Amino acid sequence: MDGKYFSLLDMAIVAVPVFAIGIWQLISVSREIARDKAAAARGDASPEGAGHPVGEHRLDDR
């Protein structure tokens, strides 16, 4: 196989999954943002976020 075609095949093997995962993450984050906005509009969202400030709980408190 010619080196040029082998490198194109190699790039395609890597690029297709990378772009697919990137698009999937973009869609997933967009849906989560839309859910958060809808929950805030309904009044279901908590204004504190996680419910506690960072560092206020023990590390073994799970």
Side-chain angles (χ1 to χ4, degrees):
M1 184 184 292
D2 188 20
K4 180 173 65 171
Y5 297 119
F6 182 73
S7 64
L8 288 174
L9 177 65
D10 190 31
M11 286 190 296
I13 289 172
V14 172
V16 169
V18 166
F19 282 124
I21 291 171
I23 291 169
W24 173 58
Q25 286 292 311
L26 183 64
I27 291 170
S28 176
V29 168
S30 297
R31 285 181 181 167
E32 191 67 30
I33 290 170
R35 284 186 200 131
D36 289 345
K37 285 183 181 180
R42 286 191 313 264
D44 295 342
S46 82
E48 295 91 25
H52 57 80
V54 174
E56 189 171 300
H57 57 85
R58 296 187 321 239
L59 293 178
D60 62 346
D61 188 25
R62 294 183 185 200

